Amino acid sequence: TMAVAAAAAKKAVLFLHGMESGPHGRKYQMLKKAGFAVISERMPCDRRSIMRDPVVAGVISSLLFVSFSAWQLYGLFPCLLTVAMEILAAERLKHLYARRLLNRSVNIQAQVLQAHPEISVVMGSSFGGAVAVELIRRGLWRGPTVLLAPAQQRLAELSLLPYPTLGGVSKALVVHGRMDDVVPLQHSRELVQRSASPEHTLLEVEDDHRLSKTTPQLLAQWIATVQA
């Protein structure tokens, strides 16, 4: 459509990928095919990147060393007791690591925004949507934003952070599938309700978390909506 063509001509889109999809997945390719200049930088949120994080690797190595030492020095029962204590400690450490993951991802995207002033729209999917909301919360992005099934509330709960808002961003469209079984639709409803701005809207669609039915026809149109 003419609106989509006009939107594609307006500079570039920064696409923030989901936890396992990677920067050049299906939605990225759809945007490229629609004529958008798309910028997408990998974030360290997939399982492989998490396990290769030096902090995670160091913690795992330390826990294994302590468990092995307990077994060697004191036998099986103290070893099992040590493992149980380590599991309890890991439960507390996951909150700190979730915050570290969020900070690392936000820093990556902040550098991209600084290096590419031609970016006119930020689009975030799932985990990428949570990162986009955090960029907004920190005042690092204030322009048009499209959030696809954003996981901001899940990440806030895991990081022990307050629920974020969309305050400060000029225009935002949140798209969420009614059949999403990964991120509750209610989280997006509450996100938009907290903003209380007519420029921040929620579009509920008959789709799942991946939005696989609606994105092929409507992804580019959603960008045109926030650029109108």
Side-chain angles (χ1 to χ4, degrees):
T1 66
M2 292 182 62
V4 170
K10 291 182 179 179
K11 300 186 178 180
V13 175
L14 174 60
F15 178 71
L16 280 56
H17 64 85
M19 186 158 277
E20 295 292 342
S21 59
H24 300 143
R26 185 174 58 90
K27 295 183 180 73
Y28 171 91
Q29 298 298 336
M30 288 179 187
L31 291 172
K32 294 280 285 186
K33 188 175 181 180
F36 291 94
V38 190
I39 299 166
S40 187
E41 190 72 25
R42 180 175 294 278
M43 295 179 285
C45 57
D46 61 281
R47 290 185 181 91
R48 185 178 180 183
S49 297
I50 290 172
M51 295 307 296
R52 293 173 65 182
D53 184 328
V55 170
V56 174
V59 169
I60 292 174
S61 297
S62 299
L63 294 177
L64 289 174
F65 175 77
V66 171
S67 299
F68 181 74
S69 298
W71 177 65
Q72 288 284 83
L73 293 171
Y74 306 109
L76 180 60
F77 181 74
C79 176
L80 293 175
L81 184 60
T82 301
V83 170
M85 293 175 65
E86 289 173 347
I87 291 172
L88 292 175
E91 185 69 17
R92 296 179 65 86
L93 287 172
K94 76 177 183 180
H95 302 301
L96 297 177
Y97 184 75
R99 195 173 298 187
R100 170 178 166 80
L101 175 59
L102 179 60
N103 287 335
R104 292 179 72 197
S105 299
V106 167
N107 290 340
I108 288 170
Q109 302 304 337
Q111 291 174 15
V112 174
L113 286 169
Q114 189 173 20
H116 294 277
E118 72 273 19
I119 292 171
S120 62
V121 174
V122 168
M123 172 178 279
S125 176
S126 194
F127 174 81
V131 174
V133 172
E134 186 64 13
L135 287 167
I136 294 167
R137 189 186 73 82
R138 298 186 189 187
L140 299 171
W141 176 251
R142 298 186 181 278
T145 306
V146 179
L147 303 173
L148 308 177
Q152 79 291 329
Q153 190 163 318
R154 279 276 176 85
L155 198 56
E157 291 169 353
L158 194 56
S159 306
L160 299 181
L161 294 172
Y163 291 162
T165 69
L166 295 172
V169 72
S170 61
K171 198 166 187 178
L173 173 65
V174 182
V175 183
H176 209 122
R178 293 193 178 100
M179 295 175 284
D180 192 329
D181 59 357
V182 178
V183 177
L185 170 59
Q186 186 62 26
H187 289 184
S188 286
R189 289 172 175 165
E190 292 172 2
L191 176 66
V192 173
Q193 287 168 3
R194 284 195 298 270
S195 92
S197 168
E199 298 300 319
H200 304 158
T201 58
L202 171 65
L203 175 63
E204 298 182 15
V205 294
E206 298 300 327
D207 212 337
D208 56 16
H209 180 68
R210 294 169 62 86
L211 299 171
S212 51
K213 295 178 183 176
T214 47
T215 47
Q217 295 81 27
L218 300 173
L219 190 63
Q221 184 177 318
W222 294 336
I223 292 179
T225 299
V226 296
Q227 286 193 317

